[in-house]
Amino acid sequence: NIVMTQSPKSMSISVGDRVTMNCKASQNVGNNIAWYQQKPGQSPKLLIYYASNRYTGVPDRFTGGGYGTDFTLTINSVQAEDAAFYYCQRIYNSPWTFGGGTKLELK
Amino acid sequence: QVQLKESGPGLVQPSQTLSLTCTVSGFSLTSNSVHWVRQPPGKGLEWVGAIWSGGSTDYNSALKSRLSISRDTSKSQVFLKMNSLQTEDTAIYFCTRGTTTWGQGVMVTVSS
């Protein structure tokens, strides 16, 4: 079964900084990756699908990239409301495995 | 407006069967997949399984022997049944329309 590994597990960033988090697949998944944001007590929200497509209403400071086994989610000029957990997920082919998540904290 | 809402018992006894319902609106089950995802308290997301637009299903291999997902298209409902529940099955259970829309989730506690 495919394994999705996210790094780092947590990061502490200042407002206005640029941050990049990583997602590595144990086998080639093409561009079949989604990224979600989850805040405490809320359901996850889709940010990016098919690796680099921003979902409707997602601010353009969120950018996804990568192909094959290595993927990134970059947030340009982090805002206070971006403090959350971020998860990648392999999509399109089963199993739709999630990564373990990255916690983004604001200093 | 696309909506999904999970319902079911909040407390299940160990070794018993969990039955959850996802009631959807704003889209057709015959044109969209519905997935179940769970999240143990304080932990990450785990994909449980899915029912596809054609009615076929896929399951997390770790849960497959205990799991069944079905639907009633006339009622716009998707069902999850998981047997032989253990304390490690305690989690918030979400249903989702593909990747895009998630229900609010339902907390299920496995305890005697």
Side-chain angles (χ1 to χ4, degrees), chain A residues 78-92:
Chain A
V78 169
Q79 302 299 301
E81 61 265 28
D82 299 335
F85 283 89
Y86 293 84
Y87 295 94
C88 65
Q89 183 189 27
R90 182 261 196 116
I91 60 173
Y92 191 72

Side-chain angles (χ1 to χ4, degrees), chain B residues 53-70:
Chain B
S53 57
S56 62
T57 53
D58 277 315
Y59 301 128
N60 182 322
S61 58
L63 304 172
K64 188 173 184 176
S65 63
R66 304 193 287 131
L67 185 61
S68 173
I69 298 175
S70 60

Side-chain angles (χ1 to χ4, degrees), chain B residues 34-111:
Chain B
V34 171
H35 299 240
W36 288 95
V37 175
R38 69 180 184 177
Q39 185 169 38
K43 296 191 177 180
L45 302 169
E46 181 181 28
W47 183 77
V48 172
I51 187 162
W52 305 101
S53 57
S56 62
T57 53
D58 277 315
Y59 301 128
N60 182 322
S61 58
L63 304 172
K64 188 173 184 176
S65 63
R66 304 193 287 131
L67 185 61
S68 173
I69 298 175
S70 60
R71 69 185 185 184
D72 184 335
T73 56
S74 68
K75 294 183 178 178
S76 294
Q77 292 180 323
V78 175
F79 310 105
L80 177 149
K81 286 193 191 309
M82 186 183 301
N83 59 32
S84 303
L85 250 59
Q86 301 302 320
T87 55
E88 51 266 33
D89 296 311
T90 293
I92 299 172
Y93 286 75
F94 299 96
C95 60
T96 84
R97 175 200 181 202
T99 57
T100 58
T101 312
W102 292 58
Q104 64 189 20
V106 60
M107 180 68 206
V108 174
T109 301
V110 181
S111 175

Side-chain angles (χ1 to χ4, degrees), chain A residues 10-101:
Chain A
S10 67
M11 49 202 325
S12 183
I13 303 294
S14 298
V15 170
D17 284 354
R18 181 175 189 249
V19 62
T20 296
M21 57 191 76
N22 303 289
C23 174
K24 187 172 184 68
S26 61
Q27 58 188 262
N28 188 338
V29 296
N31 69 339
N32 295 322
I33 289 291
W35 288 92
Y36 301 88
Q37 177 193 68
Q38 186 182 31
K39 297 181 181 180
Q42 296 184 15
S43 304
K45 290 182 169 55
L46 177 66
L47 297 173
I48 301 288
Y49 62 99
Y50 292 135
S52 61
N53 295 276
R54 205 174 292 117
Y55 186 55
T56 305
V58 174
D60 60 8
R61 64 179 181 272
F62 291 91
T63 302
Y67 187 88
T69 60
D70 294 285
F71 301 89
T72 58
L73 176 68
T74 297
I75 311 173
N76 287 302
S77 188
V78 169
Q79 302 299 301
E81 61 265 28
D82 299 335
F85 283 89
Y86 293 84
Y87 295 94
C88 65
Q89 183 189 27
R90 182 261 196 116
I91 60 173
Y92 191 72
N93 292 304
S94 292
W96 287 35
T97 308
F98 286 95

